[in-house]
Amino acid sequence: MDLSHDIGGDLMLDAGSGLATVTADDWVRQRVLRRLLTNPGDYIWDVGYGGGLRSQIGNVVAAGQIAASIRRQLQLEAAIATSPAPQVSVSDSGNGTIDTTITYADAADGTTSRVALTVGGSP
């Protein structure tokens, strides 16, 4: 049993004000977001862990670089199936942010899920 925790937030509570547990679908989503948003070197138990997308905020970065970084990180995530390969869509919103949509299959049961993420904006 794992606790529900979205990166950047507090532990979540259930209806009875106890600590909420996470469903399998949300567990994988939380792992993907944590991996992509953690800067390399910030996770002291594995300094190479993380995609560093947060470090791109305020920088000029090509959408293709972000898509490649996301794909590399998803290949390292054990919770994501390698076949079918995850699909990453990246588009420049024109206002200093990059919108991403990631479609992946859960390695445990093969269910397909989608995560949307916006990268960029003011630091």
Side-chain angles (χ1 to χ4, degrees):
M1 178 179 328
D2 290 302
L3 297 177
S4 185
H5 177 253
D6 279 325
I7 186 166
D10 292 329
L11 290 172
M12 296 179 189
L13 300 177
D14 62 18
S17 297
L19 291 175
T21 56
V22 67
T23 64
D25 229 17
D26 278 340
W27 181 78
V28 175
R29 179 189 59 78
Q30 289 174 4
R31 285 181 60 105
V32 166
L33 291 175
R34 185 171 24 261
R35 177 175 286 281
L36 295 176
L37 296 174
T38 299
N39 292 319
D42 285 355
Y43 186 58
I44 62 173
W45 292 278
D46 183 356
V47 294
Y49 177 88
L53 291 182
R54 282 188 174 162
S55 66
Q56 302 304 319
I57 294 173
N59 295 330
V60 177
V61 179
Q65 287 176 294
I66 291 175
S69 176
I70 291 171
R71 284 187 191 97
R72 275 191 307 276
Q73 290 300 313
L74 293 177
Q75 289 174 346
L76 298 171
E77 183 55 60
I80 303 295
T82 56
S83 180
Q87 299 297 309
V88 179
S89 169
V90 178
S91 61
D92 186 342
S93 64
N95 64 358
T97 62
I98 300 290
D99 296 317
T100 65
T101 303
I102 304 161
T103 305
Y104 60 87
D106 186 313
D109 63 15
T111 58
T112 301
S113 296
R114 180 172 294 165
V115 173
L117 179 64
T118 299
V119 179
S122 300

